[in-house]
């Protein structure tokens, strides 16, 4: 940048000759300078977000005093404001863009290039406590932890290491019976939770799209769109893992409706997010809080190669699950008159167990990966956010979110304490009783019987979730 000297005297309370550009302090290691520069730049973004043009005088004065070297006698406040308003701002075009090589350009770009942390601390960025609050984070970990616990417990039970060796009155037998008999309630709760998360993400993405296009007042949030689409997709894996591990659960029309809503919301959210991302990348507003936050404060590597990458992998895995569900429905029933269809059903019956186990492992791994990356992203953002950050606040709705899993724990403990018969009997009125079913309890056992008599089955274990 070429040096120049001011060819005029600033008239304030006293006449003052500004120093040349080379005599000004733009040392990136000067903490006081960065603090003043960051506050000034952030305030400009905050005002632009609200369509305001007049910045508070203190931000300007502090920044100008910071760039003056100690050997330079700083003038009074009014003289500095006159220097800024009548001289420095004259080196900008009609849109406020500084001319190359001017002091206005140096003042504008210095905090972006050297004081990003100070800019982030002063932005009016509030975060999104509805998605990233402490209560919501606890809810996600409780859900993922319970799903993993049920997965491990039921797989151990299926190996026969407990129930075949201990009596029905033993503590271990009741413990594993509690997991088996309460998984139906857990599956229903997880389905409702996932639909709620996807519906909330759909609303958030629609709102951001309308605000970005100017059809609705307010400003969109990059952080909210990224986290809502990511964590809502994470929520789909909660009931999906439970569905694959559950055995002996009865079919229910409400579950089919909930699974259908999950599929529809996933498609809608994907379309909304892609449209929003495309519009933002093409028509970026200038000097707004969100653009400044994305430029300086957003951990781009973690968001692009962490959250968004796992989100795309999750979409692929969910799409493959949908294909498996369609194949399972096509293979349902026994039709001796269709040899090709019979061969497909026999092939499906022989391979679906391996696919089911592999799919369970992949879904569980991706579920925890998405949650871990979301937590790391949230903490990384919070470290650079300022005093107005509400990203970790507790809200009333977060308390209700944590309470979602209480009925699951109540039923689990009831069966563990009283045993399956008495524990489940306490859920119904005295007009009914619960009796054990002596017929084969799992679809797989029935399928093995059909395979022995010529292939086919009347109930596929990989059809539309129950």
């Amino acid at each position: 940048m070429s040096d120049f000297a001011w060819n005029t005297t600033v008239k304030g309370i006293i006449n003052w000759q500004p120093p040349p550009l080379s005599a000004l302090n733009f040392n990136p290691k000067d903490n006081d300078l960065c603090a003043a520069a960051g506050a000034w730049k952030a305030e400009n973004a905050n005002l632009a977000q609200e369509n305001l043009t007049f910045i508070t005088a203190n931000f300007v004065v502090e920044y100008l005093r910071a760039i003056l070297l100690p050997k330079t006698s700083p003038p009074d406040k009014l003289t500095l404001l006159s220097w800024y308003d009548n001289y420095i701002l004259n080196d900008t075009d009609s849109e406020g863009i500084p001319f190359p090589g001017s002091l206005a350009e140096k003042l504008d770009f210095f905090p972006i290039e050297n004081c990003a942390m100070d800019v982030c601390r002063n932005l009016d960025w509030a975060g999104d406590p509805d998605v990233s609050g402490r209560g919501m984070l606890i809810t996600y970990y409780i859900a993922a932890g319970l799903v993993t616990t049920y997965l491990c417990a039921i797989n151990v039970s299926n190996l026969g290491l407990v129930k075949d060796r201990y009596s029905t009155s033993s503590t271990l037998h009741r413990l594993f019976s509690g997991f088996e008999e309460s998984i139906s309630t857990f599956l229903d709760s997880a389905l409702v939770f996932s639909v709620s998360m996807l519906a909330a993400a759909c609303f958030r993405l629609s709102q951001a799209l309308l605000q970005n296009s100017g059809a609705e007042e307010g400003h969109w949030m990059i952080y909210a769109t990224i986290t809502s689409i990511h964590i809502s997709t994470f929520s789909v894996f909660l009931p999906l893992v439970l569905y694959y591990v559950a055995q002996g659960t009865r079919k229910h029309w409400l579950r089919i409706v909930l699974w259908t809503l999950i599929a529809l919301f996933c498609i809608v959210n994907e379309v909304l997010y892609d449209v929003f991302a495309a519009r933002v990348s093409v028509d970026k507003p200038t000097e707004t809080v969100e653009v400044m936050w994305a430029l300086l404060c957003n951990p781009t590597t973690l968001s692009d190669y962490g959250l968004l990458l796992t989100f795309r992998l999750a979409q692929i895995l969910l799409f493959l699950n949908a294909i498996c569900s369609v194949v399972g429905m096509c293979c349902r029933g026994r039709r001796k008159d269709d040899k090709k269809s019979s061969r497909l059903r026999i092939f499906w019956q022989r391979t679906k167990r391996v696919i089911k186990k592999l799919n369970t492992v992949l879904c569980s791994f991706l579920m925890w990966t998405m949650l871990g990356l979301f937590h790391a992203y949230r903490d990384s953002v919070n470290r650079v956010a300022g005093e107005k950050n509400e990203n970790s606040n507790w809200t009333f709705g977060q308390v209700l979110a944590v309470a979602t899993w209480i009925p699951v724990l109540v039923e689990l403990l009831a069966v563990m304490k009283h045993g399956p018969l008495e524990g489940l009997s306490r859920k119904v009125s005295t007009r009914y009783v619960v009796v054990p079913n002596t017929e084969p309890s799992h679809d797989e056992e029935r399928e093995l019987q059909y395979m022995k008599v010529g292939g086919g089955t009347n109930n596929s274990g990989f059809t539309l979730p129950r």
Side-chain angles (χ1 to χ4, degrees):
M1 181 180 295
S2 59
D3 191 20
F4 67 92
W6 298 93
N7 57 7
T8 185
T9 300
V10 177
K11 296 182 180 180
I13 296 179
I14 59 173
N15 293 334
W16 176 69
Q17 177 67 38
L21 188 58
S22 60
L24 297 177
N25 175 30
F26 284 104
N27 181 11
K29 296 182 180 180
D30 189 333
N31 295 330
D32 294 334
L33 173 60
C34 267
W40 175 83
K41 186 62 180 179
E43 184 64 14
N44 275 289
N46 298 335
L47 294 174
Q49 188 74 69
E50 304 299 331
N51 294 321
L52 301 176
T53 57
F54 297 98
I55 189 171
T56 304
N58 289 339
F59 292 100
V60 176
V61 172
E62 293 299 323
Y63 193 11
L64 294 182
R65 284 177 177 172
I67 65 173
L68 296 175
L69 294 173
K71 62 180 181 180
T72 304
S73 299
D76 57 273
K77 182 176 180 179
L78 291 178
T79 303
L80 288 175
L81 290 176
S82 177
W83 181 31
Y84 181 79
D85 291 332
N86 300 323
Y87 299 93
I88 296 178
L89 292 185
N90 285 341
D91 290 333
T92 59
D93 59 19
S94 58
E95 297 181 356
I97 300 176
F99 295 142
S102 64
L103 178 58
E105 183 189 49
K106 186 65 175 180
L107 291 173
D108 192 51
F109 283 96
F110 176 79
I112 295 178
E113 296 172 349
N114 303 284
C115 310
M117 296 291 290
D118 295 277
V119 176
C120 295
R121 293 191 187 100
N122 290 277
L123 284 175
D124 289 344
W125 187 84
D128 189 9
D130 292 335
V131 176
S132 306
R134 289 191 179 94
M136 294 306 300
L137 195 62
I138 292 173
T139 301
Y140 305 145
Y141 274 107
I142 290 176
L146 284 174
V147 168
T148 306
T149 303
Y150 271 78
L151 173 63
C152 296
I154 292 180
N155 281 329
V156 171
S157 179
N158 291 339
L159 295 176
L161 300 177
V162 177
K163 289 192 172 183
D164 295 344
R165 299 183 181 183
Y166 297 90
S167 64
T168 56
S169 59
S170 66
T171 303
L172 280 177
H173 193 283
R174 289 185 176 184
L175 173 64
F176 286 93
S177 295
F179 286 108
E180 290 180 344
E181 303 307 327
S182 62
I183 194 171
S184 180
T185 300
F186 192 10
L187 177 58
D188 293 338
S189 299
L191 283 169
V192 173
F193 179 76
S194 181
V195 170
S196 302
M197 293 294 296
L198 289 168
C202 183
F203 171 78
R204 180 64 56 80
L205 291 169
S206 301
Q207 187 181 43
L209 195 61
L210 291 173
Q211 290 172 345
N212 178 251
S213 62
E216 184 176 322
E217 294 184 358
H219 67 274
W220 47 271
M221 292 185 64
I222 298 174
Y223 178 82
T225 55
I226 293 176
T227 54
S228 62
I229 191 67
H230 179 88
I231 208 65
S232 62
T233 305
F234 151 82
S235 70
V236 179
F237 290 103
L238 301 174
L240 194 58
V241 174
L242 290 175
Y243 163 67
Y244 288 132
V245 76
Q247 294 177 336
T249 56
R250 299 182 185 275
K251 293 183 179 180
H252 198 290
W253 65 269
L254 183 58
R255 288 177 187 160
I256 297 178
V257 171
L258 291 174
W259 279 115
T260 304
L261 289 175
I262 287 176
L264 292 176
F265 275 126
C266 284
I267 296 173
V268 172
N269 288 347
E270 164 63 16
V271 173
L272 290 174
Y273 178 78
D274 288 343
V275 171
F276 173 77
R279 287 190 179 182
V280 170
S281 62
V282 174
D283 302 323
K284 289 185 177 179
T286 58
E287 291 300 302
T288 62
V289 171
E290 289 306 316
V291 172
M292 191 66 65
W293 180 85
L295 179 65
L296 302 179
C297 315
N298 182 33
T300 306
T301 301
L302 191 55
S303 64
D304 292 348
Y305 300 101
L307 269 67
L308 296 182
L309 177 60
T310 52
F311 166 64
R312 298 302 181 187
L313 292 176
Q315 286 181 313
I316 296 173
L317 186 57
L318 292 176
F319 178 73
L320 294 177
N321 274 270
I323 293 178
C324 290
S325 295
V326 173
V327 173
M329 287 188 290
C330 294
C331 293
R332 182 185 298 175
R334 300 175 63 200
R335 300 176 184 175
K336 296 182 179 180
D337 58 334
D338 190 344
K339 294 183 179 180
K340 293 183 179 181
S341 178
S342 179
R343 291 175 182 176
L344 176 62
R345 284 193 293 273
I346 294 174
F347 173 78
W348 178 250
Q349 295 301 332
R350 291 176 177 175
T351 58
K352 72 172 185 177
R353 289 189 175 185
V354 176
I355 297 176
K356 182 177 178 180
K357 291 179 180 179
L358 178 61
N359 195 36
T360 303
V361 173
L362 291 175
C363 289
S364 302
F365 175 76
L366 196 55
M367 175 185 70
W368 279 107
T369 302
M370 295 184 75
L371 181 55
L373 288 172
F374 170 79
H375 194 175
Y377 180 72
R378 169 188 176 274
D379 290 348
S380 179
V381 169
N382 286 344
R383 281 193 293 269
V384 299
E387 297 179 354
K388 295 188 178 182
N389 176 32
E390 301 176 357
N391 210 31
S392 298
N393 291 1
W394 276 82
T395 59
F396 182 78
Q398 294 180 45
V399 179
L400 300 179
V402 176
T404 302
W405 313 115
I406 292 180
V408 179
L409 297 175
V410 169
E411 183 167 340
L412 173 62
L413 295 176
V415 178
M416 288 172 57
K417 181 179 180 181
H418 303 288
L421 288 180
E422 185 178 352
L424 295 177
S425 297
R426 291 172 179 265
K427 294 180 59 179
V428 299
S429 67
T430 56
R431 294 188 297 271
Y432 301 92
V433 294
V434 176
V435 295
N437 184 12
T438 57
E439 294 184 0
S441 57
H442 302 330
D443 293 338
E444 287 81 359
E445 296 180 26
R446 297 191 184 100
E447 290 161 7
L448 286 176
Q449 296 175 1
Y450 295 132
M451 290 288 290
K452 292 178 181 179
V453 297
T457 180
N458 68 344
N459 189 10
S460 172
F462 217 100
T463 61
L464 186 69
R466 297 162 289 194

